[in-house]
Amino acid sequence: TNAMLRWLWPKPPLAAREKAWVETRMHWLADQLGIDRMLDSKVTLPTAEFFPGEYDGTAEDAQRLQAAICRFLQTDADLHLEVPDAVCSGGEAGATGHRCQSGQRRRCPDTATLIATIAQKASCAILQRKGLTERKKAELEPLAELLTVFLGMGVFTANTAIDRRILPGRMSSYALSLFAWMREDVNPAWASYLRLDVQAGFRAGLRYLRRSGDSMFQTATVRRSFGALSVNEVSRQLETGTPSVKIAALWELAEQGSAASIAVPLVVEFLHAKQPDIRAEAAVTLGHIGVNDTESIQRLTDALHDGEEGVRAAAAAALGTLRPQAPLAVPFLADALADRSPRVVRQVARALCQFGSDADEATHGLFQALRAALVACDDVTADCLTTALHAIT
């Protein structure tokens, strides 16, 4: 019976980590701006109603677009936005070009891409005024992309996601699904303006949400402050939630740091979870919480032999973070320098940097890995390894 129920359960539209990120960040935006801002926003469309007149690619046209977009986003129209709206090119330019300082013409991107870019940059400015934490600053660009969806300009940013490469199109499509679902818009007319691939992802996401209700961003919980759960409540989510809920719970425990130390035994168990994303996040979380017991350290060193490179890299990073509590990890990290994955080798090297001269026994392995990186012309890995050698010797 359980197997049949699992077969009938709709398939999530995104991988667990991506789904968790979109839902938790949409919730965070609701905390910052108020959910009513999203519910009351008017969806901006590529029609004359929103953008009247012709766009010929002049600087005046770009300023006119910026003023309109800032009005839709309810922010200042005099923002000084660094928008890469054109590239210089020699020769004769057509009617879509305007002159730059060099006297050459500049070819502007298509209007939809320029609108999406201006909207994303304006959203960055909105977020920067909120006094972001260091973690949120590192996510500024994708958060701003998500904010365009939250404020009703997601049709433009989702349609041009492939060209601008800030958020994958599948994540933008799912964010639009959440937007429509929260507004109880079963068949929104604006969906017809989406590119066919974006529209397919949007409808798949909306169908999943309607059938399963599986979302951390929904009417029942959105007015509760993001991150307000106690360690015990988060631990319960970790034990009983869907994969995306478990990943979000691990993120929350990591945010709480040493205050979540009571949850360490539970997090350690997730180093053997079925899903690689959960195993990797469990390792990262242990690094943020901090552990000093031998069993936890041993489980992390065991994870250096995991079949997924992402898990091995996360385990190495955690062991580096735990340097004061994990001097016995050096031999295991030294062995991991022989890993076939450059990503893992780089993370191991960064971890060994944290041990300084205490990692002297890893020197031979670092030289061997450096030789292999130089032979492969892998400059990025070679740089990490020489940095580690310098820190140790």
Side-chain angles (χ1 to χ4, degrees):
T1 302
N2 289 337
M4 182 176 293
L5 289 174
R6 286 195 298 271
W7 182 74
L8 292 173
W9 187 260
K11 183 180 179 181
L14 292 176
R17 180 184 277 128
E18 292 179 339
K19 181 174 179 292
W21 189 88
V22 174
E23 291 172 359
T24 56
R25 273 43 179 185
M26 287 288 276
H27 194 149
W28 181 83
L29 291 173
D31 276 353
Q32 299 300 306
L33 301 176
I35 187 60
D36 292 334
R37 182 92 175 263
M38 188 198 82
L39 298 177
D40 297 337
S41 65
K42 186 174 183 178
V43 178
T44 306
L45 298 173
T47 64
E49 176 188 354
F50 296 93
F51 299 100
E54 296 293 326
Y55 172 70
D56 296 318
T58 65
E60 291 76 17
D61 285 337
Q63 291 172 359
R64 180 161 52 90
L65 286 177
Q66 178 175 318
I69 292 164
C70 288
R71 186 169 66 253
F72 302 148
L73 297 176
Q74 301 176 40
T75 190
D76 299 336
D78 59 350
L79 293 173
H80 298 290
L81 305 177
E82 295 182 5
V83 179
D85 62 344
V87 294
C88 288
S89 62
E92 295 296 323
T96 59
H98 61 276
R99 294 196 179 277
C100 62
Q101 292 180 351
S102 66
Q104 296 174 321
R105 291 276 192 169
R106 292 193 294 176
R107 287 201 298 268
C108 292
D110 66 273
T111 309
T113 300
L114 182 56
I115 289 172
T117 303
I118 294 174
Q120 196 269 347
K121 294 299 181 183
S123 295
C124 280
I126 293 172
L127 291 175
Q128 286 172 324
R129 294 173 179 172
K130 292 294 180 181
L132 302 176
T133 63
E134 288 304 314
R135 183 168 181 176
K136 288 295 186 292
K137 285 180 182 177
E139 297 181 347
L140 177 61
E141 293 289 331
L143 271 176
E145 188 85 348
L146 207 59
L147 181 55
T148 64
V149 176
F150 190 90
L151 295 178
M153 292 204 68
V155 169
F156 288 95
T157 49
N159 280 346
T160 60
I162 294 176
D163 298 322
R164 295 179 304 108
R165 301 182 182 181
I166 297 174
L167 268 187
R170 59 186 179 276
M171 295 177 72
S172 295
S173 297
Y174 184 60
L176 283 170
S177 303
L178 289 168
F179 178 85
W181 187 56
M182 287 289 288
R183 290 157 59 105
E184 299 182 350
D185 206 344
V186 177
N187 189 26
W190 52 260
S192 64
Y193 289 89
L194 296 173
R195 278 175 30 162
L196 291 180
D197 57 332
V198 176
Q199 189 176 131
F202 161 75
R203 296 201 181 281
L206 189 55
R207 186 164 54 248
Y208 176 83
L209 290 167
R210 292 177 59 199
R211 290 181 179 177
S212 70
D214 172 29
S215 172
M216 289 170 279
F217 180 60
Q218 58 177 283
T219 305
T221 59
V222 72
R223 297 187 186 277
R224 180 174 185 174
S225 179
F226 178 76
L229 298 178
S230 68
V231 173
N232 287 335
E233 289 173 316
V234 176
S235 296
R236 281 196 292 274
Q237 289 185 340
L238 191 56
E239 290 181 296
T240 62
T242 62
S244 57
V245 169
K246 290 177 180 178
I247 287 175
L250 288 167
W251 289 342
E252 178 60 26
L253 292 174
E255 287 277 1
Q256 297 191 29
S258 59
S261 58
I262 190 174
V264 165
L266 178 60
V267 176
V268 167
E269 292 304 312
F270 279 91
L271 290 173
H272 295 292
K274 181 179 179 181
Q275 297 88 350
D277 283 352
I278 294 178
R279 300 200 299 272
E281 292 300 338
V284 172
T285 300
L286 289 172
H288 283 284
I289 295 176
V291 297
N292 53 19
D293 61 291
T294 304
E295 182 182 355
S296 297
I297 300 298
Q298 182 62 53
R299 299 284 282 275
L300 277 171
T301 58
D302 290 344
L304 292 172
H305 302 286
D306 193 277
E308 294 288 334
E309 70 169 8
V311 180
R312 301 197 299 276
L319 289 168
T321 303
L322 298 170
R323 179 224 176 263
Q325 300 98 325
L328 297 179
V330 171
F332 298 97
L333 289 168
D335 290 342
L337 287 167
D339 198 288
R340 292 183 178 182
S341 166
R343 174 188 175 188
V344 175
V345 172
R346 290 193 293 269
Q347 196 58 66
V348 170
R350 295 186 188 105
L352 287 169
C353 283
Q354 307 305 313
F355 289 84
S357 58
D358 290 340
D360 183 65
E361 65 182 284
T363 302
H364 177 71
L366 285 166
F367 274 116
Q368 292 291 98
L370 177 58
R371 176 182 176 132
L374 291 172
V375 169
C377 298
D378 183 351
D379 295 337
V380 177
T381 302
D383 185 59
C384 287
L385 292 163
T386 51
T387 300
L389 283 165
H390 184 266
I392 293 168
T393 62

